[in-house]
Amino acid sequence: MSLTMRAVAQFGTPFNVSVIDRPMPTILNGTDVIVRMNASAICGSDLHSYRAASGSEEHPYLYGHEGIGHVVEVGDSVQFLSVGDYVVIPDNFDNGHFTTEPDVYVPSLSSGGVEGGGALPGLQAEYARIPFADNSLIPVPVTDTTNTTTLIDYLFTSDIFATAWSGVTWSGFEPGDTIAVFGAGPVGLLAAYSALLRGASRVYSIDRVRNRLSLAESIGAIPINFEDADPVAQILALEPNGVRRGVEAVGYEAVDASGAIDSGITVRQLINVTAPRGGIGVVGLFSSGQADIDYGAAYAKMVSVSGGIVLPLQVAGEIVPLINSGQAHPGFIVTSVIGIEEAPEYYQRFNRTEESKVVIGF
Ligand code: NAD
Ligand code: ZN
């Protein structure tokens, strides 16, 4: 008899996910572990797929790439993890191979997506099989398992806190800098939070969703609503020479003040609002051909621009200790903790920006 579990999936219809039965994962290789999920989350990256016709009847798109749980089974070759250990599952795992050559893309496997093709089944599910577990998982010192606040703080090291932190790093940020963060979704809010933790003198948070701007203001950022007036003009009125640093936390579905999609608007505005010799970290999602920007404008000001997919394993050593010591509480962005059967409704709510961050508790 094969056992089943519940998981979030999409079958090719936009704006429509279902909760389905899936086979429970089992150990396939000696380096695998099986994790019983304690919490997973819905990411802004999931919304890009949700709005598209992801998956199909034959090959459902399986959601979830942010997770925390405890180990319930270990493969024969696993040396450093035991049953009962609490682990964060990063959105990109180690692929088990060290190389001194430049990798074609990132040296990782990722969770979520259509099974096969490099992706593993998603983490919005009751259980997950994690390959190369000794190298891939981030052990965290969870002692009180009823303390959901701490579990959720650690959960975000799997993706969005690591991403936000890296966006600030990639901007070239140093203590005392001013910084503008475009987007006050979960990633943008945590980028503003990271910059404040790291000693920013002033942080501007740009969005048009009032609840999100209020959250940004509650942590000490200066809210800028781009529907009120050009956000560059609003910031330059307060910072005549521009801000030293900027973070893009929106991606290719950025909209203008009228609500129409303009994929390059945030990067163009960041280039315009950043001071000469400043820097911009781009963590919002873009694929080739998706942002129409004036690179010459950045070149003329000697503004550096860097971005890409973030690898949480590379920054876990910086952010996990801040949670361990109680200095960082990235969980402040959560507006709802739900059961997995409520996922279809909460995808809709998150897509309409009625929620800032949704966590699925198991
Ligand atoms: P989200 O969709 O919840 O938030 C995006 C926010 O941007 C929304 O609040 C929206 O109102 C705002 N916005 C839209 N147009 C804007 C504009 N012109 N100026 C300012 N704000 C604008 O998404 P999220 O979870 O916060 O994720 C943000 C982006 O980061 C997404 O593109 C996501 O795919 C990406 N991401 C990348 C990585 C990575 O590894 N690089 C990891 C996680 C998420
Ligand atoms: Zn994500």
Side-chain angles (χ1 to χ4, degrees):
M1 190 181 73
S2 71
L3 296 171
T4 60
M5 63 171 186
R6 303 291 279 165
V8 178
Q10 188 171 359
F11 292 95
T13 310
F15 301 99
N16 190 359
V17 295
S18 312
V19 183
I20 60 168
D21 285 330
R22 293 269 307 162
M24 294 250 298
T26 52
I27 300 274
L28 298 181
N29 301 305
T31 54
D32 292 348
V33 303
I34 304 296
V35 175
R36 169 76 171 114
M37 305 301 299
N38 287 85
S40 179
I42 308 176
C43 181
S45 298
D46 295 332
L47 292 180
H48 299 309
S49 312
Y50 176 71
R51 294 169 187 141
S54 300
S56 63
E57 283 297 331
E58 309 77 58
H59 301 289
Y61 188 99
L62 296 161
Y63 275 96
H65 54 262
E66 302 167 274
I68 184 166
H70 54 279
V71 175
V72 290
E73 203 181 338
V74 296
D76 296 344
S77 320
V78 173
Q79 293 184 52
F80 303 109
L81 292 164
S82 310
V83 168
D85 287 353
Y86 274 77
V87 286
V88 167
I89 307 170
D91 59 352
N92 288 287
F93 316 137
D94 198 278
N95 68 358
H97 302 283
F98 177 75
T99 173
T100 57
E101 295 300 316
D103 260 289
V104 177
Y105 187 42
V106 285
S108 64
L109 296 164
S110 59
S111 52
V114 175
E115 211 169 338
L120 288 151
L123 303 179
Q124 288 165 21
E126 292 175 284
Y127 291 85
R129 177 183 73 89
I130 309 299
F132 309 111
D134 278 332
N135 298 329
S136 295
L137 292 172
I138 303 168
V140 286
V142 171
T143 43
D144 179 2
T145 54
T146 58
N147 186 342
T148 15
T149 309
T150 310
L151 272 175
I152 289 172
D153 282 338
Y154 284 122
L155 166 64
F156 296 144
T157 59
S158 64
D159 176 4
I160 56 170
F161 190 27
T163 296
W165 186 268
S166 298
V168 173
T169 304
W170 293 346
S171 77
F173 179 86
E174 290 177 6
D177 281 346
T178 51
I179 185 166
V181 180
F182 279 70
V187 174
L189 284 168
L190 290 183
Y193 182 66
S194 299
L196 287 162
L197 273 177
R198 294 163 71 169
S201 52
R202 276 183 301 283
V203 177
Y204 297 90
S205 172
I206 302 97
D207 206 305
R208 62 174 182 161
V209 179
R210 285 174 207 288
N211 291 346
R212 295 180 171 191
L213 288 172
S214 300
L215 259 177
E217 194 170 19
S218 76
I219 57 166
I222 301 160
I224 301 285
N225 189 328
F226 69 83
E227 279 183 341
D228 293 346
D230 173 18
V232 175
Q234 291 190 64
I235 296 169
L236 290 180
L238 300 164
E239 304 284 344
N241 298 330
V243 285
R244 287 191 189 275
R245 310 289 160 195
V247 171
E248 204 290 342
V250 184
Y252 70 94
E253 294 186 283
V255 296
D256 63 19
S258 74
I261 288 189
D262 178 349
S263 296
I265 190 168
T266 46
V267 182
R268 290 198 302 276
Q269 290 178 335
L270 273 161
I271 292 170
N272 291 337
V273 84
T274 303
R277 286 185 281 290
I280 300 169
V282 181
V283 289
L285 192 75
F286 291 93
S287 297
S288 174
Q290 279 179 339
D292 181 13
I293 62 163
D294 176 1
Y295 182 70
Y299 182 95
K301 285 165 79 173
M302 291 174 277
V303 164
S304 68
V305 182
S306 66
I309 297 289
V310 169
L311 299 178
L313 287 168
Q314 289 182 345
V315 291
E318 294 174 42
I319 58 178
V320 171
L322 290 172
I323 300 171
N324 292 347
S325 68
Q327 293 294 307
H329 290 290
F332 77 89
I333 57 173
V334 173
T335 46
S336 288
V337 180
I338 62 165
I340 192 166
E341 304 301 329
E342 296 170 278
E345 177 193 344
Y346 277 80
Y347 264 80
Q348 289 180 14
R349 290 182 55 79
F350 184 46
N351 183 53
R352 292 193 300 253
T353 64
E354 290 164 14
E355 301 285 339
S356 287
K357 185 73 179 177
V358 179
V359 167
I360 302 172
F362 296 95

